[in-house]
Amino acid sequence: MSAAVSGLDERRWGWLPAIGSPGYYGLLVAVGMLVLGPLGGIAASYMNFSLGFYVNAQVMAGILGSIVTLGYGPAGRHGANYMQTMAASVAGMMAMSCLLQARVWMGLPPVPTWQLVIYMLAIGMLGAGVGMLYTPTLVERMKLTYPSGLAVANILRALTDPALLKRSVARLFGGIGTGVLGGLASAKVAALGAIELSLSTFGAGLIVGARITIPAITSGLLFWALTPTFVSMGWLKEGDPFRKIAFLIALGMILGATVIDIALIVWQAQRRWRGLDGPSQADAGGSAEESTGPRYNLPRLLAFVGVSALAVVVSGMQFFGIPFWMMALALVLVAIFVMGNGISVGLTDSNPISSAFVLSVILFGLAGLTDPMVGLMAATVLLIATSIGCDMQQDRSTGWRLGSNRALQFRFQVGGILVGALMAVGIAELFMAAYPVLRLDQTVMTADQQPAQWASAMTYKFVGVLRGLSEPNPAQTAAIVMGVLFGVVVEGARKLIKRSARYQAFVASGRTGFATDFCLDAFFLPSPYAFSFGGFVNLPTSLWFGAGGVASSLFNTLARRPREDNDLPSDMSTTSLVGGGLIAGDALAALGLGVVGLLALV
C-alpha cells in the first residue's frame, strides 16, 4: 500500500514533495515528459532513420525513473512506473517520425502540421484505449509474461526496496553490466555483428522459457530451409532473405490465432451477459494486487475508445480524404491487431508493427485502393495504434505486478501521447533539415547509391509496399492466407485440448503429464504467436531467443532455489533477474550509441 493510502511517510529526503501531492505529480510529469521521454524519443528516431528499428524506451526509463524516486523508499516504485509509462509513450510517438520521412520520399504534398498532430494524437489515444481495454484479459487473466514489462517491474522492486536489492543486486546488475558490454561489443566487433549477437533477445528468452522459444527456433529453421522453395515458386528472388515473404505468413498466423481468441472472448462475454458464468476477477474490479485507485470502469473506457475512434475517422476523412469504408476497416484491424500483437509481445517481446502496416496496405489494395497517399495515411492508423496499444499492455503488466494505480497509469500514458504527437513532427523536420540525405528516396537508388549512414529500413518497407499498390502481388495474398489457416487450425486445436478437463488432470498427474504438455507446446502443436517469431526476424535472432529459453528451462529444472530467495516475489527468479538485466543493459547500450552517433554528426 502506498504512503498516500497508509498514512505513512517513508521519504528518505525531506525536501521531496509528499506522495500524492501536486508537487509529487509535477515532479513525475516534468521528468517523464520533458527529460526521459524526449531522450528516448531522440534515440528511437535516430535508430529508425539510421537502421530501421528502435529499442523500446520502457526499460531505460524505468531505470532512470527509479533513480529520481529512490528517496521515497519502496513506495517510490509506483512513481517510477508512472514516469516510465509516460516516457515510453513520448518515445514511442516520436519514433513514428519515419512516417513523415515516407511522405517526403513519395513526393506527397505537404499538409499543415496541426492536421498531422491532431491525426496522430487521435490515433495514439485510440491505441491506448484499446490496449487498456484488453489488459484484464491479456495481463490479469491470461497472465502473459511481457518480458520487458517484467524486467521493469523487477528493476523497480529491486532499486526501491533495500531488502530486495540485497537479494537481487548481483543477478540483476550483473545482467545489466553484461548487457551493456554485449550491446557495445556487438555494434563494434565485426565477428559479433556477423552472428547478430543480441543479449536482449537472449535475455527475453531467459524470461519466457523453452515452451515459447523452441517454436521460434523451429519456425526460423523451417523458413530458412524453405527459401529455395519460395524462390522456385516466384515468391522470392534469388538472394532475398526468407523473411521478405515469411513475415506475411507469420503475420497471418497471428491474425488466425487472434480470430480464435477474440471469438472465445466474445462467447465468454455473452455467457456472462446471460448469467451463465459468474463475473471474472477483472470484471469485478481489477487485479487482487491492485491496492489503490478507482475500480476498472468499463463504460468510461469504452466511451474513451469511442470518442477516440470518432476523432480518428473524422480527422482522416476531413484532412486526408480517406474514404469512410477504409477508416472503418482500419478500426476493425486495430481491434484485431492490438489483441494479436499484444499476445505476441506478451509471449516473445516482439511487436511486428511494421508488418501490421504492410498487411493493412495489402488489404486496402485488395479492396480497391490505388492511391499511395491515402494508403499511407490509412495504414498510419494501424502502425501508431498497434505500437501504442501494445505499449500500454506492456506498461500495465508492470503496473499490475507492482500494484500501481491503473487509472493513474493510464492518465500518464495519455499525457505522454499528447507530448509525443507534438514532438514527432518536430523531430522529423529537425533530422531531415539537418541531414538532407534523409529526404532522398532510397527505393529508387542503386546499391552503390545507398547512403551508408542512414539505412531507414522501416521507411524503405513502407514506401515499397505503398508503391506496389498499382502492381498487385498474388504471392503476398497467398502467404497471408496460408498463415491465417495455420493460425486458425492450430490455435483451435490447442484450445480444444488445453480446455479439456481430462487433459488438465493428466498434466497435473505427474512427470509424464508435464512432459507431454511441454512437448505439445514446444514441438507438436506450438502456439502460433510463438511460432510466428521466426518469420519476422533473421535466423540468428531466433537462435539467440531460443538459446535463452532453453538455458532458462534447464537451469530452473536442474538448479535448486536458494533458501534466501524464498521471500522474493515468484517472478523474481534468477533467470528473470538476469534476463531483465540483459534487456536493460542492451537497451542502455543502444541508447548510448544512438545519442553518441547523433552528437557526432552535429
Side-chain angles (χ1 to χ4, degrees):
M1 185 175 292
S2 71
V5 175
S6 66
L8 298 177
D9 191 341
E10 300 177 351
R11 285 177 290 172
R12 295 167 180 158
W13 307 314
W15 54 267
L16 288 172
I19 291 179
S21 68
Y24 171 74
Y25 290 117
L27 173 66
L28 301 185
V29 169
V31 175
M33 182 181 291
L34 303 179
V35 180
L36 300 183
L39 182 64
I42 290 172
S45 295
Y46 172 81
M47 292 183 70
N48 259 352
F49 288 133
S50 62
L51 298 173
F53 68 89
Y54 65 96
V55 177
N56 192 292
Q58 183 184 36
V59 177
M60 177 274 296
I63 295 173
L64 298 180
S66 64
I67 296 174
V68 175
T69 58
L70 185 63
Y72 289 106
R77 67 184 65 175
H78 302 297
N81 181 39
Y82 300 145
M83 274 192 292
Q84 70 83 16
T85 297
M86 174 171 278
S89 294
V90 175
M93 290 297 293
M94 290 176 67
M96 299 298 102
S97 55
C98 58
L99 292 167
L100 283 301
Q101 185 186 31
R103 289 187 61 88
V104 173
W105 281 20
M106 297 175 67
L108 299 178
V111 297
T113 298
W114 67 270
Q115 292 184 355
L116 286 173
V117 170
I118 289 176
Y119 189 53
M120 295 177 68
L121 176 62
I123 298 171
M125 296 298 182
L126 174 66
V130 175
M132 180 60 86
L133 191 63
Y134 290 152
T135 55
T137 297
L138 303 185
V139 175
E140 298 167 31
R141 188 179 305 149
M142 295 176 66
K143 292 182 172 62
L144 298 179
T145 304
Y146 289 97
S148 288
L150 175 57
V152 174
N154 285 342
I155 289 166
L156 297 185
R157 284 185 290 207
L159 289 178
T160 56
D161 190 325
L164 291 180
L165 185 59
K166 291 178 182 178
R167 299 280 196 277
S168 58
V169 64
R171 282 160 277 188
L172 177 62
F173 287 95
I176 291 175
T178 303
V180 170
L181 293 176
L184 296 174
S186 62
K188 299 297 184 180
V189 179
L192 297 179
I195 62 174
E196 299 184 29
L197 172 66
S198 175
L199 290 184
S200 61
T201 303
F202 183 84
L206 284 176
I207 292 174
V208 300
R211 287 178 186 255
I212 303 300
T213 65
I214 287 178
I217 296 177
T218 305
S219 61
L221 291 172
L222 177 63
F223 285 128
W224 173 75
L226 288 174
T227 301
T229 303
F230 291 147
V231 172
S232 66
M233 295 169 59
W235 287 18
L236 291 176
K237 296 179 181 178
E238 192 69 41
D240 282 346
F242 65 77
R243 64 176 180 155
K244 192 171 183 178
I245 193 68
F247 87 90
L248 292 173
I249 301 175
L251 200 57
M253 293 179 188
I254 292 176
L255 183 59
T258 303
V259 169
I260 296 295
D261 283 320
I262 290 179
L264 185 60
I265 290 170
V266 171
W267 178 74
Q268 291 172 337
Q270 64 87 22
R271 284 181 60 85
R272 288 197 298 272
W273 180 267
R274 293 165 55 195
L276 300 177
D277 290 334
S280 68
Q281 183 187 60
D283 295 332
S287 166
E289 297 183 31
E290 189 176 49
S291 56
T292 62
R295 289 174 174 267
Y296 180 71
N297 192 312
L298 182 59
R300 185 182 301 172
L301 183 57
L302 287 174
F304 180 91
V305 171
V307 171
S308 300
L310 180 61
V312 170
V313 172
V314 172
S315 58
M317 294 176 64
Q318 293 297 316
F319 298 159
F320 310 111
I322 305 173
F324 174 77
W325 69 265
M326 193 175 298
M327 296 303 299
L329 177 57
L331 294 181
V332 172
L333 292 176
V334 166
I336 295 173
F337 278 106
V338 173
M339 167 70 80
N341 283 30
I343 296 175
S344 177
V345 173
L347 292 175
T348 67
D349 214 31
S350 172
N351 186 5
I353 57 173
S354 60
S355 300
F357 180 98
V358 171
L359 179 56
S360 65
V361 172
I362 293 173
L363 293 177
F364 294 150
L366 292 174
L369 174 67
T370 58
D371 187 335
M373 190 280 283
V374 173
L376 171 63
M377 302 315 296
T380 294
V381 178
L382 268 293
L383 184 73
I384 296 178
T386 303
S387 174
I388 296 299
C390 294
D391 184 53
M392 180 75 259
Q393 295 163 9
Q394 184 92 269
D395 289 335
R396 185 55 206 152
S397 74
T398 301
W400 182 73
R401 287 183 168 99
L402 298 177
S404 298
N405 184 311
R406 183 203 307 267
L408 274 178
Q409 188 168 11
F410 184 72
R411 291 166 191 163
F412 273 86
Q413 180 95 12
V414 168
I417 293 169
L418 173 61
V419 174
L422 291 169
M423 299 187 72
V425 178
I427 199 67
E429 294 296 339
L430 176 63
F431 269 96
M432 288 188 287
Y435 311 107
V437 68
L438 291 173
R439 294 182 175 273
L440 302 180
D441 183 2
Q442 296 181 28
T443 64
V444 298
M445 292 181 180
T446 61
D448 58 343
Q449 293 175 330
Q450 299 288 326
Q453 180 67 40
W454 306 101
S456 300
M458 187 175 291
T459 306
Y460 192 101
K461 186 186 297 185
F462 294 165
V463 174
V465 71
L466 288 165
R467 288 239 165 87
L469 283 173
S470 58
E471 302 175 5
N473 188 345
Q476 294 179 334
T477 305
I480 295 170
V481 171
M482 179 187 298
V484 169
L485 291 176
F486 177 92
V488 168
V489 172
V490 172
E491 189 64 21
R494 283 175 55 82
K495 288 291 191 292
L496 289 174
I497 294 173
K498 293 279 190 175
R499 294 171 67 86
S500 167
R502 179 178 296 181
Y503 180 78
Q504 293 173 3
F506 170 68
V507 171
S509 64
R511 292 184 177 180
T512 301
F514 175 84
T516 300
D517 190 56
F518 177 86
C519 291
L520 181 78
D521 286 336
F523 300 105
F524 304 135
L525 210 61
S527 165
Y529 300 105
F531 196 74
S532 68
F533 184 84
F536 293 115
V537 298
N538 293 326
L539 180 59
T541 303
S542 293
L543 297 180
W544 284 115
F545 183 61
V550 172
S552 175
S553 294
L554 286 175
F555 179 86
N556 290 325
T557 300
L558 300 177
R560 293 183 177 180
R561 182 181 174 94
R563 181 177 300 176
E564 61 269 20
D565 283 358
N566 289 336
D567 58 346
L568 288 176
S570 59
D571 55 5
M572 291 187 73
S573 65
T574 295
T575 52
S576 291
L577 289 168
V578 173
L582 291 175
I583 294 173
D586 209 10
L588 289 173
L591 172 66
L593 289 171
V595 172
V596 170
L598 178 61
L599 293 176
L601 294 170
V602 174

